[in-house]
């Protein structure tokens, strides 16, 4: 059985970028059957010597992402001396950035890890939006940055997800005449609660299309009188809370989000961008 080809991924950080690049390239040749050996957090020249020796003995490739000039220059020099194929995955693009934007790179390792904090906050916000979607758990009302309320099909869920990608933790609660709103809704600060409304005709159109997509033809859900009843009930709840109200009729989610964030900013809910 033929042994897998080996690629040494060398980085002054974790090496995720190089690993993904190697896997992407390998998939074009042998279905990704390549063994990747990590040499991460390289900080000194001596850290490179072992991988140089091993790569020569195994006739392997070195793929690296080193931003510290002394380490890059040393690896390039030694690889050439030993006849090792060493591929710099970052410098060509960094040079292109420098030329295009007329700026010099910081040449500091692990900067992307600092950016990852925003990524993890975004993931946390998305998980929050999923967990507290459609009033599934009323505990989310107190924990949320933003609470959305409205009748069914007023874009509560897509708006929650859009705001989550901006790192806001959003809970949304449906308002239905037959179901009393949770007590928590009246205890939350009105400054972070937003009501979503829509014109009856538009909601009727949306709900009819929803029923059609589900293969249903008749339902009270899309009845205009029922819709008027729901909207009237929802408006009473919103006025009781004292929250701002946005009419989402004919508005894209992005447009509604921009309007909502502008309104909340005036009320002290800061932007996460």
């Amino acid at each position: 059985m033929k042994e897998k080809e080996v690629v040494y991924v060398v980085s002054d950080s974790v090496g995720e970028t190089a690993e993904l690049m190697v896997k992407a390239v390998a998939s074009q040749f042998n279905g990704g059957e390549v063994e990747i050996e990590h040499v991460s957090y390289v900080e000194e020249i001596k850290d490179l010597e072992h991988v140089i020796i091993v790569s020569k003995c195994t006739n392997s490739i070195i793929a690296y992402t080193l931003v510290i000039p002394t380490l890059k220059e040393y690896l390039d020099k030694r690889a050439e001396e030993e006849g090792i194929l060493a591929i710099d995955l970052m410098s060509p693009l960094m040079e292109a950035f420098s030329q295009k934007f007329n700026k010099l790179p910081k040449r500091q390792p692990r900067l992307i890890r600092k950016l990852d904090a925003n990524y993890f906050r975004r993931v946390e916000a998305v998980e929050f939006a999923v967990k507290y979607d459609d009033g599934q758990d009323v505990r989310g009302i107190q924990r949320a940055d933003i609470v959305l309320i409205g009748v069914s099909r007023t874009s509560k869920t897509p708006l929650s997800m859009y705001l989550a990608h901006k790192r806001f933790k959003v809970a949304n609660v449906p308002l239905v005449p037959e179901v009393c709103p949770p007590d928590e809704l009246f205890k939350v600060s009105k400054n972070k609660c937003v009501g979503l409304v829509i014109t009856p005709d538009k909601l009727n159109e949306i709900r009819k299309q929803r029923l059609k997509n589900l293969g249903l033809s008749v339902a009270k859900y899309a009845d205009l009188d029922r819709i008027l009843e729901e909207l009237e009930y929802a408006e009473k709840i919103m006025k009781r809370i004292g929250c701002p109200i946005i009419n989402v009729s004919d508005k894209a989610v992005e447009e509604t989000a921009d309007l909502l964030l502008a309104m909340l900013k005036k009320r002290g809910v800061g932007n996460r961008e």
Side-chain angles (χ1 to χ4, degrees):
M1 182 178 178
K2 183 180 177 181
E3 293 185 359
K4 290 183 180 179
E5 301 292 344
V6 179
V7 176
Y8 286 90
V9 167
V10 179
S11 177
D12 42 28
S13 186
V14 179
E16 297 165 320
T17 302
E19 180 180 4
L20 288 171
M21 283 291 295
V22 169
K23 286 182 176 179
V25 172
S27 68
Q28 299 296 318
F29 291 89
N30 55 3
E33 292 298 315
V34 63
E35 184 175 331
I36 297 175
E37 295 287 344
H38 287 271
V39 183
S40 304
Y41 300 111
V42 173
E43 295 180 346
E44 301 178 14
I45 286 174
K46 65 180 182 180
D47 296 331
L48 296 171
E49 273 303 321
H50 175 70
V51 70
I52 290 170
I53 294 171
V54 174
S55 295
K56 182 177 181 180
C57 293
T58 56
N59 193 29
S60 303
I61 295 174
I62 295 176
Y64 70 88
T65 52
L66 297 171
V67 297
I68 300 174
T70 53
L71 296 179
K72 169 186 162 44
E73 290 165 8
Y74 182 82
L75 180 54
D76 285 342
K77 178 176 177 293
R78 291 288 288 118
E80 184 177 359
E81 290 173 352
E82 300 295 342
I84 300 168
L85 187 58
I87 309 300
D88 182 350
L89 299 177
M90 289 189 69
S91 289
L93 190 54
M94 280 205 296
E95 289 172 6
F97 269 54
S98 293
Q99 292 175 12
K100 180 66 176 178
F101 305 122
N102 196 29
K103 293 182 179 179
L104 294 175
K106 295 180 179 179
R107 297 286 181 182
Q108 296 176 20
R110 294 186 285 282
L111 286 180
I112 196 170
R113 307 310 299 176
K114 297 178 182 178
L115 298 177
D116 280 350
N118 287 333
Y119 167 78
F120 288 118
R121 281 198 294 270
R122 184 175 294 112
V123 170
E124 185 181 3
V126 170
E127 291 175 346
F128 187 97
V130 171
K131 183 175 182 179
Y132 298 112
D133 179 48
D134 206 33
Q136 294 180 74
D137 188 339
V138 296
R139 291 175 298 178
I141 294 173
Q142 291 293 336
R143 299 172 183 173
D145 298 317
I146 300 170
V147 179
L148 303 177
I149 58 175
V151 301
S152 174
R153 313 315 291 179
T154 48
S155 302
K156 295 186 301 298
T157 296
L159 184 56
S160 295
M161 291 302 170
Y162 183 86
L163 292 168
H165 279 85
K166 289 181 173 291
R167 305 190 297 281
F168 286 95
K169 292 181 179 179
V170 185
N172 74 76
V173 180
L175 299 179
V176 183
E178 292 79 15
V179 180
C180 291
D183 292 338
E184 289 81 359
L185 196 57
F186 301 102
K187 297 175 183 177
V188 71
S189 169
K190 65 181 180 181
N191 290 332
K192 67 176 184 180
C193 188
V194 177
L196 304 178
V197 297
I198 190 171
T199 61
D201 289 344
K202 184 65 178 180
L203 185 54
N204 179 247
E205 177 186 330
I206 292 172
R207 288 188 175 183
K208 281 183 177 179
Q209 185 60 48
R210 174 63 173 166
L211 292 174
K212 183 178 179 181
N213 293 340
L214 293 174
L216 303 173
S217 56
V218 180
K220 187 178 179 182
Y221 178 69
D223 181 76
L224 189 57
D225 288 337
R226 168 63 182 183
I227 287 173
L228 290 169
E229 178 188 357
E230 287 186 41
L231 291 174
E232 183 180 0
Y233 171 78
E235 188 175 351
K236 287 180 180 178
I237 298 297
M238 293 171 192
K239 287 181 177 179
R240 179 180 168 187
I241 295 171
C243 64
I245 299 173
I246 298 177
N247 191 321
V248 301
S249 305
D250 300 315
K251 283 187 177 67
V253 169
E254 296 85 352
E255 185 181 358
T256 302
D258 288 343
L259 181 58
L260 181 151
L261 292 176
M263 292 170 66
L264 292 185
K265 188 175 182 180
K266 293 180 180 179
R267 291 177 167 237
V269 179
N271 202 321
R272 299 299 174 87
E273 289 299 297

